[in-house]
Amino acid sequence: MQAPDSTTPQMTRRQTVGIILGLAFCIALFAGLIYFVKADRAEKRALILKNPGYATGIITRVRRYKGRRISVRYTVGGVEHFLRTRVSRNFLRTHAKGDTTAVIYAKSDPANAILKARLRSSRY
């Protein structure tokens, strides 16, 4: 084992502590972001289920790559709304573009909606 050379740069204790604190801050920031996204989803879901309305939507777009998503068009009170959401592989096996699907929306804000199929699944 060689002794450290005086020309080899060494990290000081202050630099090491700074790096560790920076990493801890980044991890805390990321965890906080995840918490607020999950809390927002739960709040949206609770608002919808507090006073739900039901509509039939038509699947207008299916994306099977880079995250499985669908776009759904549904009408409430003569006003057309759109919903884009992630779905499971099983959902995509049984549904295609042009098919209908059940949409549950908040009566207080019909633009705030989720697929009925997503209520049964807690994966997304």
Side-chain angles (χ1 to χ4, degrees):
M1 186 169 201
Q2 292 182 344
D5 195 32
S6 62
T7 60
T8 306
Q10 298 275 327
M11 283 185 58
T12 65
R13 176 175 256 178
R14 177 175 274 179
Q15 289 171 325
T16 304
V17 169
I19 290 172
I20 291 171
L21 288 176
L23 285 173
F25 176 76
C26 289
I27 290 169
L29 187 66
F30 187 68
L33 180 66
I34 289 172
Y35 171 78
F36 284 114
V37 166
K38 284 187 175 190
D40 185 54
R41 284 183 183 167
E43 184 178 322
K44 177 183 172 184
R45 187 180 197 125
L47 177 68
I48 292 170
L49 295 178
K50 182 178 177 182
N51 191 9
Y54 300 91
T56 300
I58 298 173
I59 299 173
T60 59
R61 182 173 181 225
V62 176
R63 188 172 92 176
R64 296 177 188 278
Y65 58 93
K66 289 188 180 179
R68 296 167 302 276
R69 291 184 184 275
I70 63 166
S71 296
V72 177
R73 182 182 74 227
Y74 62 101
T75 305
V76 177
V79 178
E80 197 170 71
H81 298 278
F82 295 92
L83 168 66
R84 194 178 94 186
T85 187
R86 292 183 62 130
V87 292
S88 67
R89 281 190 180 102
N90 288 337
F91 186 90
L92 288 179
R93 284 185 193 124
T94 59
H95 294 80
K97 183 177 177 180
D99 288 350
T100 60
T101 186
V103 176
I104 301 175
Y105 63 90
K107 285 186 178 177
S108 60
D109 180 15
N112 189 6
I114 56 176
L115 291 180
K116 184 177 180 183
R118 292 277 312 268
L119 284 178
R120 291 183 230 129
S121 171
S122 61
R123 288 186 58 199
Y124 295 104

